[in-house]
PDB file of all heavy atoms in Angstrom:
ATOM      1  N   LEU C  31      11.943  13.163 -10.481  1.00  0.00           N
ATOM      2  CA  LEU C  31      11.280  14.377 -10.851  1.00  0.00           C
ATOM      3  C   LEU C  31      12.244  15.421 -11.151  1.00  0.00           C
ATOM      4  O   LEU C  31      13.159  15.735 -10.279  1.00  0.00           O
ATOM      5  CB  LEU C  31      10.276  14.814  -9.723  1.00  0.00           C
ATOM      6  CG  LEU C  31       9.204  13.941  -9.378  1.00  0.00           C
ATOM      7  CD1 LEU C  31       8.554  14.285  -8.136  1.00  0.00           C
ATOM      8  CD2 LEU C  31       8.192  13.632 -10.477  1.00  0.00           C
ATOM      9  N   ASP C  32      12.294  16.081 -12.349  1.00  0.00           N
ATOM     10  CA  ASP C  32      12.981  17.124 -12.707  1.00  0.00           C
ATOM     11  C   ASP C  32      12.402  18.499 -12.092  1.00  0.00           C
ATOM     12  O   ASP C  32      11.462  18.947 -12.798  1.00  0.00           O
ATOM     13  CB  ASP C  32      13.289  17.244 -14.210  1.00  0.00           C
ATOM     14  CG  ASP C  32      14.072  18.233 -14.747  1.00  0.00           C
ATOM     15  OD1 ASP C  32      14.795  19.069 -13.849  1.00  0.00           O
ATOM     16  OD2 ASP C  32      14.257  18.550 -15.933  1.00  0.00           O
ATOM     17  N   VAL C  33      13.003  18.979 -10.957  1.00  0.00           N
ATOM     18  CA  VAL C  33      12.373  20.141 -10.294  1.00  0.00           C
ATOM     19  C   VAL C  33      12.818  21.476 -10.962  1.00  0.00           C
ATOM     20  O   VAL C  33      12.086  22.336 -11.254  1.00  0.00           O
ATOM     21  CB  VAL C  33      12.545  20.052  -8.836  1.00  0.00           C
ATOM     22  CG1 VAL C  33      11.872  21.261  -8.195  1.00  0.00           C
ATOM     23  CG2 VAL C  33      11.984  18.633  -8.188  1.00  0.00           C
ATOM     24  N   GLY C  34      14.209  21.560 -10.921  1.00  0.00           N
ATOM     25  CA  GLY C  34      14.735  22.710 -11.543  1.00  0.00           C
ATOM     26  C   GLY C  34      14.660  24.091 -10.835  1.00  0.00           C
ATOM     27  O   GLY C  34      14.545  25.013 -11.449  1.00  0.00           O
ATOM     28  N   THR C  35      14.695  24.086  -9.492  1.00  0.00           N
ATOM     29  CA  THR C  35      14.516  25.203  -8.807  1.00  0.00           C
ATOM     30  C   THR C  35      15.879  25.436  -8.074  1.00  0.00           C
ATOM     31  O   THR C  35      16.635  24.444  -7.803  1.00  0.00           O
ATOM     32  CB  THR C  35      13.334  25.113  -7.715  1.00  0.00           C
ATOM     33  OG1 THR C  35      13.545  24.182  -6.870  1.00  0.00           O
ATOM     34  CG2 THR C  35      12.021  25.060  -8.547  1.00  0.00           C
ATOM     35  N   ALA C  36      16.124  26.637  -7.486  1.00  0.00           N
ATOM     36  CA  ALA C  36      17.117  26.893  -6.526  1.00  0.00           C
ATOM     37  C   ALA C  36      17.119  25.942  -5.319  1.00  0.00           C
ATOM     38  O   ALA C  36      16.102  25.968  -4.557  1.00  0.00           O
ATOM     39  CB  ALA C  36      17.189  28.258  -6.137  1.00  0.00           C
ATOM     40  N   GLY C  37      18.190  25.240  -5.109  1.00  0.00           N
ATOM     41  CA  GLY C  37      18.223  24.421  -3.930  1.00  0.00           C
ATOM     42  C   GLY C  37      17.588  22.928  -4.203  1.00  0.00           C
ATOM     43  O   GLY C  37      17.802  22.060  -3.331  1.00  0.00           O
ATOM     44  N   GLN C  38      16.961  22.852  -5.336  1.00  0.00           N
ATOM     45  CA  GLN C  38      16.371  21.483  -5.513  1.00  0.00           C
ATOM     46  C   GLN C  38      16.450  21.231  -7.093  1.00  0.00           C
ATOM     47  O   GLN C  38      15.463  21.525  -7.857  1.00  0.00           O
ATOM     48  CB  GLN C  38      14.948  21.321  -5.111  1.00  0.00           C
ATOM     49  CG  GLN C  38      14.424  19.838  -5.263  1.00  0.00           C
ATOM     50  CD  GLN C  38      13.244  19.670  -4.517  1.00  0.00           C
ATOM     51  OE1 GLN C  38      12.687  18.435  -4.560  1.00  0.00           O
ATOM     52  NE2 GLN C  38      12.649  20.580  -3.724  1.00  0.00           N
ATOM     53  N   VAL C  39      17.607  20.651  -7.532  1.00  0.00           N
ATOM     54  CA  VAL C  39      17.623  20.425  -8.983  1.00  0.00           C
ATOM     55  C   VAL C  39      16.639  19.341  -9.393  1.00  0.00           C
ATOM     56  O   VAL C  39      15.934  19.422 -10.485  1.00  0.00           O
ATOM     57  CB  VAL C  39      19.045  19.950  -9.306  1.00  0.00           C
ATOM     58  CG1 VAL C  39      19.179  19.368 -10.854  1.00  0.00           C
ATOM     59  CG2 VAL C  39      20.114  21.089  -9.113  1.00  0.00           C
ATOM     60  N   GLY C  40      16.510  18.272  -8.662  1.00  0.00           N
ATOM     61  CA  GLY C  40      15.563  17.134  -8.898  1.00  0.00           C
ATOM     62  C   GLY C  40      15.425  16.468  -7.587  1.00  0.00           C
ATOM     63  O   GLY C  40      16.084  16.634  -6.667  1.00  0.00           O
ATOM     64  N   ARG C  41      14.386  15.478  -7.740  1.00  0.00           N
ATOM     65  CA  ARG C  41      14.286  14.611  -6.531  1.00  0.00           C
ATOM     66  C   ARG C  41      13.985  13.218  -6.985  1.00  0.00           C
ATOM     67  O   ARG C  41      13.248  12.929  -7.916  1.00  0.00           O
ATOM     68  CB  ARG C  41      13.150  15.091  -5.652  1.00  0.00           C
ATOM     69  CG  ARG C  41      11.753  15.273  -6.221  1.00  0.00           C
ATOM     70  CD  ARG C  41      10.701  15.273  -5.297  1.00  0.00           C
ATOM     71  NE  ARG C  41      10.824  16.553  -4.329  1.00  0.00           N
ATOM     72  CZ  ARG C  41       9.790  16.920  -3.504  1.00  0.00           C
ATOM     73  NH1 ARG C  41       8.720  16.141  -3.285  1.00  0.00           N
ATOM     74  NH2 ARG C  41       9.988  18.001  -2.836  1.00  0.00           N
ATOM     75  N   HIS C  42      14.442  12.153  -6.270  1.00  0.00           N
ATOM     76  CA  HIS C  42      14.243  10.792  -6.454  1.00  0.00           C
ATOM     77  C   HIS C  42      13.250  10.396  -5.342  1.00  0.00           C
ATOM     78  O   HIS C  42      13.601  10.633  -4.115  1.00  0.00           O
ATOM     79  CB  HIS C  42      15.505   9.977  -6.285  1.00  0.00           C
ATOM     80  CG  HIS C  42      16.403  10.199  -7.395  1.00  0.00           C
ATOM     81  ND1 HIS C  42      16.440   9.478  -8.707  1.00  0.00           N
ATOM     82  CD2 HIS C  42      17.538  10.981  -7.521  1.00  0.00           C
ATOM     83  CE1 HIS C  42      17.368   9.863  -9.477  1.00  0.00           C
ATOM     84  NE2 HIS C  42      17.993  10.737  -8.881  1.00  0.00           N
ATOM     85  N   VAL C  43      12.101   9.943  -5.803  1.00  0.00           N
ATOM     86  CA  VAL C  43      11.059   9.492  -4.843  1.00  0.00           C
ATOM     87  C   VAL C  43      11.113   8.082  -4.856  1.00  0.00           C
ATOM     88  O   VAL C  43      10.837   7.420  -5.887  1.00  0.00           O
ATOM     89  CB  VAL C  43       9.742  10.088  -5.158  1.00  0.00           C
ATOM     90  CG1 VAL C  43       8.680   9.623  -4.105  1.00  0.00           C
ATOM     91  CG2 VAL C  43       9.801  11.629  -5.392  1.00  0.00           C
ATOM     92  N   LEU C  44      11.284   7.514  -3.582  1.00  0.00           N
ATOM     93  CA  LEU C  44      11.550   5.966  -3.482  1.00  0.00           C
ATOM     94  C   LEU C  44      10.342   5.370  -3.007  1.00  0.00           C
ATOM     95  O   LEU C  44      10.021   5.660  -1.742  1.00  0.00           O
ATOM     96  CB  LEU C  44      12.743   5.626  -2.676  1.00  0.00           C
ATOM     97  CG  LEU C  44      14.040   6.402  -3.057  1.00  0.00           C
ATOM     98  CD1 LEU C  44      15.283   5.928  -2.264  1.00  0.00           C
ATOM     99  CD2 LEU C  44      14.370   6.312  -4.590  1.00  0.00           C
ATOM    100  N   PRO C  45       9.660   4.357  -3.663  1.00  0.00           N
ATOM    101  CA  PRO C  45       8.558   3.712  -2.925  1.00  0.00           C
ATOM    102  C   PRO C  45       8.871   2.777  -1.739  1.00  0.00           C
ATOM    103  O   PRO C  45       8.103   2.498  -1.004  1.00  0.00           O
ATOM    104  CB  PRO C  45       7.990   2.898  -4.212  1.00  0.00           C
ATOM    105  CG  PRO C  45       8.557   3.606  -5.350  1.00  0.00           C
ATOM    106  CD  PRO C  45       9.916   4.020  -5.013  1.00  0.00           C
ATOM    107  N   TYR C  46      10.108   2.357  -1.805  1.00  0.00           N
ATOM    108  CA  TYR C  46      10.642   1.321  -0.804  1.00  0.00           C
ATOM    109  C   TYR C  46      11.792   1.995  -0.075  1.00  0.00           C
ATOM    110  O   TYR C  46      12.730   2.490  -0.461  1.00  0.00           O
ATOM    111  CB  TYR C  46      10.930   0.015  -1.433  1.00  0.00           C
ATOM    112  CG  TYR C  46       9.921  -0.673  -2.243  1.00  0.00           C
ATOM    113  CD1 TYR C  46       9.754  -0.597  -3.534  1.00  0.00           C
ATOM    114  CD2 TYR C  46       9.044  -1.568  -1.434  1.00  0.00           C
ATOM    115  CE1 TYR C  46       8.686  -1.094  -4.238  1.00  0.00           C
ATOM    116  CE2 TYR C  46       8.016  -2.138  -2.112  1.00  0.00           C
ATOM    117  CZ  TYR C  46       7.823  -2.035  -3.513  1.00  0.00           C
ATOM    118  OH  TYR C  46       6.804  -2.651  -4.257  1.00  0.00           O
ATOM    119  N   ALA C  47      11.756   1.823   1.366  1.00  0.00           N
ATOM    120  CA  ALA C  47      12.805   2.263   2.122  1.00  0.00           C
ATOM    121  C   ALA C  47      13.623   1.037   2.516  1.00  0.00           C
ATOM    122  O   ALA C  47      13.588   0.409   3.639  1.00  0.00           O
ATOM    123  CB  ALA C  47      12.264   2.876   3.381  1.00  0.00           C
ATOM    124  N   THR C  48      14.550   0.583   1.692  1.00  0.00           N
ATOM    125  CA  THR C  48      15.504  -0.422   1.933  1.00  0.00           C
ATOM    126  C   THR C  48      16.919   0.004   1.569  1.00  0.00           C
ATOM    127  O   THR C  48      17.106   0.878   0.793  1.00  0.00           O
ATOM    128  CB  THR C  48      15.167  -1.695   1.105  1.00  0.00           C
ATOM    129  OG1 THR C  48      15.483  -1.390  -0.354  1.00  0.00           O
ATOM    130  CG2 THR C  48      13.664  -2.155   1.225  1.00  0.00           C
ATOM    131  N   GLU C  49      17.948  -0.629   2.317  1.00  0.00           N
ATOM    132  CA  GLU C  49      19.221  -0.116   2.131  1.00  0.00           C
ATOM    133  C   GLU C  49      19.717  -0.262   0.710  1.00  0.00           C
ATOM    134  O   GLU C  49      20.399   0.781   0.068  1.00  0.00           O
ATOM    135  CB  GLU C  49      20.223  -0.840   3.047  1.00  0.00           C
ATOM    136  CG  GLU C  49      21.629  -0.437   2.896  1.00  0.00           C
ATOM    137  CD  GLU C  49      22.485  -1.131   3.976  1.00  0.00           C
ATOM    138  OE1 GLU C  49      22.005  -1.848   4.800  1.00  0.00           O
ATOM    139  OE2 GLU C  49      23.764  -0.796   3.917  1.00  0.00           O
TER     140      GLU C  49
END
Side-chain angles (χ1 to χ4, degrees):
L31 299 173
D32 182 6
V33 181
T35 62
Q38 187 171 181
V39 173
R41 61 166 61 178
H42 293 272
V43 183
L44 311 186
Y46 297 94
T48 67
E49 183 173 356

